[in-house]
Amino acid sequence: MKYLIASSILVIIVILCFLFYPFELFSHENISYDDEQKGLSEQITIRFSHVVAENTPKGLAAQKFAQLASEKTDGLVNVEVVPNGTLFTDEEELDALMKNDVQMIAPSVSKMTKLALEWGLFDLPFLFQTNEDVTAVFTSEIGQNFLKLHEDENIKGMALWSNGLKQMTSSVKALKKPEDFIGQRFRIMPSDIIAEQFRRLEAVPIPLPFDQVYVSLEANRFEGQENTISNIYSRRLYELQNYMTISNHGFLGYVVLMNKEFWNSLPKDVQTSLTEAMEEATTWMINESMKMNKQQLKVIDKDSSIQIHYLTNEEREAWLNKLMPVYQTLYNQVNEKFVKDFIEQRRKQLETQ
Ligand code: SIN
């Protein structure tokens, strides 16, 4: 009997507990967070995907932007940088951006030619002679016009970044005269204007995504390639090539892009902070890429057996003569006013140098 009474009391207690226990204390909304946790729950996350290594000008600039964005918003914005094409390769990243599968990318301007041929302007041979030329164009009105090119495709242009001038490498022979290119296969970025330059040199252009360059070179799918020193260094391409010509014949730049709907959804003060962070990261990046290209050329020269040749003025003239018709090809393809404005601007810059 005693046992029965005791168990009945226990059951009643349990029922009362269920009825009156303040379970709302356990509900998600009412957990009392400390300030840090509260910040986390409100954080805005921006995924920034790119295809190069972390220790490259683009990789470092993306991290710099992430750090500045966090500082300027007191930790509200968290930019997650995903390098090496691990999230999206350079063939996939534009689609992913438009679908908001990723919020930021920074493709090379050459790869943007698949959306608008105007970007091919930056692929013209010997367009820029120094990194200062690049900065002058990027900060000019015409440079800023490029950022507005894709607004109808749900893409906001945030900034133009520079990785500097490109050099040529080959496993077969030193590239000094235009004839040295004949018959060799060169990996290029997908851009008709770049492809035409190699065809004019009677070489075979092979467009390939960046993440496949090292393995394809190892498998002898091509003999040569062109890139900036920092990309040649960080992907260890110099280990697989015997000759390098410091030709400064082409330019590698990036356009930093954000999904436009995502950008529009951000509070105004956050947009202002991100714009400032991007301006600072851009200035930092231009200086850093110049420094890295110089330093890493020294390391390649010292630590590898690659033979380095500096293109002479005479050789440069010969390359230019072969490549000049490419300018006309582009003029025939793109909006005339856009090109005229660009060339006019470039002419004025050259006059004042
Ligand atoms: C990059 O710097 O984003 C890659 C360039 C390339 O594909 O050569």
Side-chain angles (χ1 to χ4, degrees):
M1 184 62 183
K2 255 196 214 157
Y3 175 75
L4 191 66
I5 292 171
S7 1
S8 308
I9 290 173
L10 195 65
V11 169
I12 289 166
I13 290 173
V14 170
I15 291 172
L16 285 176
C17 278
F18 263 99
L19 287 177
F20 297 110
Y21 196 86
F23 278 104
E24 70 276 13
L25 282 183
F26 286 117
S27 78
H28 182 69
E29 290 75 20
N30 290 303
I31 291 174
S32 64
Y33 292 113
D34 61 26
D35 279 345
E36 211 177 29
Q37 284 173 312
K38 191 166 178 210
L40 273 180
S41 72
E42 287 171 358
Q43 218 165 36
I44 298 169
T45 298
I46 300 177
R47 285 206 299 179
F48 186 165
S49 161
H50 66 79
V51 300
V52 290
E54 279 157 305
N55 64 337
T56 54
K58 180 161 67 176
L60 292 170
Q63 287 167 44
K64 181 82 181 165
F65 170 70
Q67 175 211 327
L68 289 166
S70 172
E71 278 168 21
K72 286 180 189 293
T73 59
D74 292 327
L76 180 64
V77 171
N78 170 31
V79 180
E80 275 176 24
V81 182
V82 190
N84 288 317
T86 35
L87 209 49
F88 298 104
T89 67
D90 46 20
E91 282 173 322
E92 300 161 344
E93 62 183 4
L94 268 168
D95 279 349
L97 180 80
M98 288 192 235
K99 291 186 197 140
N100 202 30
D101 289 342
V102 65
Q103 289 70 50
M104 282 182 84
I105 59 172
S108 74
V109 288
S110 316
K111 289 167 194 165
M112 291 301 287
T113 53
K114 81 171 181 191
L115 284 195
L117 291 172
E118 280 83 350
W119 289 103
L121 275 165
F122 291 111
D123 287 334
L124 289 171
F126 298 104
L127 179 70
F128 298 119
Q129 281 156 38
T130 63
N131 288 302
E132 287 72 25
D133 292 347
V134 177
T135 316
V137 168
F138 274 17
T139 49
S140 69
E141 194 191 326
I142 191 82
Q144 297 310 302
N145 286 345
F146 273 94
L147 297 181
K148 300 184 199 130
L149 270 178
H150 301 290
E151 297 203 330
D152 295 344
E153 288 144 300
N154 195 22
I155 296 176
K156 176 177 169 55
M158 302 279 292
L160 293 166
W161 283 357
S162 163
N163 188 342
L165 300 173
K166 288 188 285 191
Q167 322 303 343
M168 291 282 190
T169 64
S170 163
S171 53
V172 177
K173 65 194 307 200
L175 301 163
K176 298 179 182 175
K177 304 183 293 299
E179 302 84 89
D180 295 329
F181 286 82
I182 296 175
Q184 288 194 56
R185 295 167 300 172
F186 283 82
R187 178 271 166 173
I188 60 161
M189 287 183 274
S191 151
D192 289 349
I193 290 296
I194 299 180
E196 188 175 335
Q197 290 170 57
F198 282 93
R199 282 196 288 265
R200 294 212 151 262
L201 294 165
E202 295 173 64
V204 184
I206 314 243
L208 268 183
F210 190 57
D211 60 312
Q212 290 173 27
V213 177
Y214 189 89
V215 279
S216 306
L217 193 50
E218 238 179 351
N220 293 320
R221 285 188 58 199
F222 53 87
E223 286 76 38
Q225 64 87 47
E226 52 158 23
N227 224 312
T228 57
I229 294 290
S230 64
N231 276 348
I232 294 171
Y233 177 78
S234 62
R235 282 287 153 127
R236 296 187 294 113
L237 303 179
Y238 61 95
E239 291 177 1
L240 302 175
Q241 299 271 265
N242 300 322
Y243 303 94
M244 173 151 71
T245 301
I246 303 301
S247 49
N248 292 326
H249 65 280
F251 165 70
L252 174 56
Y254 307 111
V255 56
V256 188
L257 303 171
M258 193 179 273
N259 177 286
K260 195 171 142 207
E261 261 170 48
F262 175 80
W263 170 261
N264 290 341
S265 74
L266 297 172
K268 283 279 166 292
D269 58 331
V270 171
Q271 289 182 350
T272 307
S273 300
L274 291 182
T275 305
E276 281 170 21
M278 186 51 74
E279 277 165 14
E280 279 179 43
T282 301
T283 309
W284 181 88
M285 196 277 181
I286 290 170
N287 295 327
E288 200 59 21
S289 62
M290 285 190 225
K291 266 197 270 167
M292 284 182 88
N293 284 324
K294 264 193 204 144
Q295 279 165 0
Q296 292 171 349
L297 175 58
K298 282 190 193 147
V299 180
I300 292 175
D301 193 14
K302 188 166 146 288
D303 293 352
S304 81
S305 58
I306 197 165
Q307 288 184 30
I308 302 177
H309 171 71
Y310 287 78
L311 203 69
T312 65
N313 285 341
E314 217 174 77
E315 288 162 352
R316 185 174 177 279
E317 264 327 286
W319 287 31
L320 201 52
N321 282 341
K322 269 272 183 206
L323 297 173
M324 226 27 209
V326 177
Y327 277 72
Q328 193 55 50
T329 309
L330 188 81
Y331 298 167
N332 296 341
Q333 285 175 354
V334 306
N335 178 307
E336 208 182 323
K337 174 154 175 17
F338 206 95
V339 181
K340 276 200 181 135
D341 287 353
F342 186 90
I343 298 297
E344 181 60 11
Q345 178 120 14
R346 197 66 201 100
R347 195 181 56 74
K348 280 192 197 143
Q349 281 170 357
L350 288 171
E351 275 170 13
T352 55
Q353 270 173 13

